[in-house]
């Protein structure tokens, strides 16, 4: 397969790096590739960023057969550009494809195409502190057909968005709301895939949390609403009695790349680390006994996000003294130092682009 490139004739004005929000601005170019049963994945191309023109019967619009990823490119102090663990994201995307009956793609080819796209739009990688270029690879089902089955044709696209912090709080502690009324996913479902349906399932509870003054929802398991799962835009970690604890991957939790990086760094530092079943009652009990030292989330968009308060029923648990905990801070610093190239390339996680 040969990648072709068509440059835009109308480059957009670049935003002010210091005023970036999250996910509202897009660069000049995008990657596109198509799939049909006859040709497999074909016609990979970099083109000017443009709207997709879709038949109203396009399957993804009706049955949600789609997968996506989120990863970032960072500007180094020397002005270079690098990716953080892109192979892990593309591997997870293929895993999501298997769950959603979407044909897998060649991860190595797409990584090289992404690097070409980044080199073309390199001036869009911001350099203000805590900014990056968020990368959104997506695959959608494109048969124009209303019967329920897997599509026979697909579009793969990658768009790029210069971003600042995901949460308005930045690295300051967020407040999260634990719901027993709603569930995000159940084992055997699509909870471990990065697919739009999981996010659609989170909206109503998210709105209620927001109305009650909380930033995010902490999801419990879909069967008994007893075991902690994830936050939807992040995986969740607890520090209890000095031990770093996170819910084990059980089929309904997204296997986060940042989650894996946190576990790996914490083990590298010889901290006590455990992936296990975490019940919300254990968290409440640890809080009551003064053993709950920190809670933080991890995600590509959110990086490390300290949690200052959780609301569970009529209980309001404030975590630590409401300030950022030492382990969250250490992880945030270590991860961002690696991502931005201020520290050595730990475990080969960083892939230089330009
Ligand atoms: C990410 O962290 O990349 C996510 O996909 C979370 C959210 C923006 C959907």
């Amino acid at each position: 397969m040969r990648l072709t490139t068509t440059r835009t004739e109308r480059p957009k004005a670049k935003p002010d790096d210091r005023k970036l929000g999250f996910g509202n601005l897009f660069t000049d170019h995008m990657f596109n590739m198509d799939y049909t049963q006859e040709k497999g994945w074909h016609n990979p191309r970099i083109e000017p960023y443009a709207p997709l023109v879709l038949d109203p019967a396009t399957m993804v619009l009706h049955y949600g057969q789609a997968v996506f990823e989120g990863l970032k490119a960072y500007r180094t102090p020397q002005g270079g550009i690098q990716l953080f663990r892109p192979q892990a994201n593309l591997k997870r995307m293929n895993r999501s494809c298997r769950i959603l009956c979407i044909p897998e793609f060649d991860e190595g080819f797409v990584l090289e195409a992404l690097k070409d796209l980044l080199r073309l739009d390199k001036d869009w990688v911001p350099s203000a502190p805590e900014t990056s270029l968020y990368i959104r690879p997506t695959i959608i089902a494109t048969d124009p057909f209303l019967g329920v089955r897997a599509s026979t044709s697909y579009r793969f696209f990658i768009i790029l968005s210069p971003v600042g912090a995901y949460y308005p709080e930045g690295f300051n502690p967020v407040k999260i709301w634990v719901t027993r009324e709603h569930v995000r996913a159940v084992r055997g479902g699509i909870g471990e895939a990065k697919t739009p349906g999981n996010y659609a399932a989170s909206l109503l509870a998210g709105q209620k949390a927001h109305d009650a003054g909380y930033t995010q929802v902490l999801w419990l398991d879909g069967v008994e609403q007893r075991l902690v799962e994830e936050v939807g835009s992040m995986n969740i970690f607890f520090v209890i009695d000095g031990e770093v604890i996170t819910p084990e991957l059980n089929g309904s939790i997204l296997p986060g790349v940042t989650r894996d990086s946190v576990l790996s760094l914490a083990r590298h530092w010889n901290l006590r680390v455990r992936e296990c079943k975490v019940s919300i009652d254990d968290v409440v009990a640890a809080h009551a006994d003064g053993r709950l030292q920190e809670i933080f989330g991890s995600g590509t968009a959110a990086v490390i996000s300290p949690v200052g308060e959780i609301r569970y029923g009529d209980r309001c648990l404030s975590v630590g003294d409401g300030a950022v905990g030492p382990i969250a801070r250490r992880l945030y610093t270590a991860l961002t130092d690696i991502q931005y190239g201020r520290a050595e390339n730990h475990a080969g996680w960083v892939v230089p682009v330009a």
Side-chain angles (χ1 to χ4, degrees):
M1 261 195 315
R2 211 173 69 80
L3 179 70
T4 62
T5 299
T6 311
R7 285 167 175 266
T8 183
E9 285 172 8
R10 267 169 284 139
K12 296 179 255 193
K14 310 268 183 322
D16 180 344
D17 280 8
R18 291 158 306 176
K19 296 196 181 134
L20 293 173
F22 184 89
N24 52 347
L25 297 168
F26 303 95
T27 67
D28 285 325
H29 298 91
M30 66 189 291
F31 169 79
N32 280 301
M33 177 164 76
D34 297 307
Y35 179 93
T36 58
Q37 276 179 329
E38 307 74 53
K39 294 188 180 167
W41 285 111
H42 66 280
N43 195 16
R45 57 210 185 270
I46 292 172
E47 295 175 309
Y49 185 98
L52 304 177
V53 179
L54 297 175
D55 189 298
T58 301
M59 289 188 80
V60 67
L61 303 176
H62 301 272
Y63 306 123
Q65 193 195 6
V67 296
F68 70 95
E69 270 303 323
L71 65 159
K72 283 175 173 172
Y74 303 84
R75 178 76 67 185
T76 68
Q78 294 74 29
I81 295 168
Q82 56 186 33
L83 288 159
F84 182 71
R85 305 190 68 183
Q87 299 94 336
N89 286 92
L90 294 175
K91 190 169 170 204
R92 182 175 69 181
M93 192 169 185
N94 259 336
R95 188 185 154 103
S96 298
C97 282
R98 292 195 288 277
I99 298 172
L100 271 292
C101 298
I102 293 173
E104 290 177 49
F105 58 89
D106 179 337
E107 292 161 26
F109 181 84
V110 169
L111 178 55
E112 290 310 311
L114 169 60
K115 288 190 201 167
D116 277 359
L117 175 63
L118 288 167
R119 285 190 275 259
L120 189 57
D121 277 347
K122 64 180 185 315
D123 294 344
W124 285 87
V125 181
S127 50
E130 265 119 70
T131 61
S132 55
L133 190 69
Y134 187 76
I135 301 164
R136 174 52 63 87
T138 306
I139 301 176
I140 58 170
T142 51
D143 282 2
F145 179 63
L146 293 185
V148 177
R149 58 152 172 77
S151 182
T152 62
S153 63
Y154 297 86
R155 165 69 65 89
F156 191 145
F157 63 87
I158 305 178
I159 54 174
L160 310 174
S161 174
V163 298
Y166 183 66
Y167 296 125
E169 290 90 339
F171 185 56
N172 295 314
V174 297
K175 292 161 66 176
I176 56 176
W177 190 71
V178 187
T179 177
R180 293 196 65 176
E181 190 184 348
H182 304 277
V183 299
R184 170 187 172 274
V186 288
R187 283 187 277 294
I190 55 172
E192 67 179 338
K194 202 155 179 70
T195 184
N198 290 324
Y199 298 81
S202 76
L203 297 178
L204 180 56
Q207 231 167 44
K208 289 184 184 175
H210 189 258
D211 291 348
Y214 291 81
T215 316
Q216 288 283 310
V217 174
L218 177 62
W219 299 100
L220 301 179
D221 76 89
V223 180
E224 296 176 52
Q225 290 89 59
R226 196 174 61 80
L227 301 175
V228 174
E229 299 236 308
E230 58 156 90
V231 177
S233 53
M234 314 189 281
N235 293 109
I236 192 87
F237 286 83
F238 302 89
V239 182
I240 298 178
D241 282 333
E243 186 175 36
V244 179
I245 298 173
T246 195
E248 64 191 9
L249 299 178
N250 60 359
S252 59
I253 295 175
L254 188 82
V257 175
T258 314
R259 174 189 181 279
D260 183 73
S261 309
V262 164
L263 289 170
S264 156
L265 281 174
R267 288 185 177 121
H268 180 68
W269 296 334
N270 290 322
L271 300 181
R272 281 186 297 129
V273 176
R274 198 149 49 102
E275 296 172 77
C276 57
K277 292 186 172 54
V278 183
S279 84
I280 188 69
D281 295 331
D282 292 345
V283 175
V284 171
H287 178 264
D289 302 347
R291 291 179 294 115
L292 177 63
Q293 291 149 328
E294 294 184 42
I295 305 182
F296 57 89
S298 70
T300 296
V303 197
I304 298 292
S305 180
V307 175
E309 182 184 316
I310 62 174
R311 169 76 176 268
Y312 177 49
D314 47 18
R315 271 179 286 226
C316 235
L317 319 185
S318 60
V319 186
D321 52 7
V324 179
I327 294 185
R329 184 172 295 283
R330 185 175 179 196
L331 283 163
Y332 178 83
T333 305
L335 267 175
T336 52
D337 280 353
I338 296 167
Q339 290 166 337
Y340 287 91
R342 297 186 292 256
E344 66 163 70
N345 185 356
H346 176 85
W349 283 347
V350 157
V351 174
V353 173

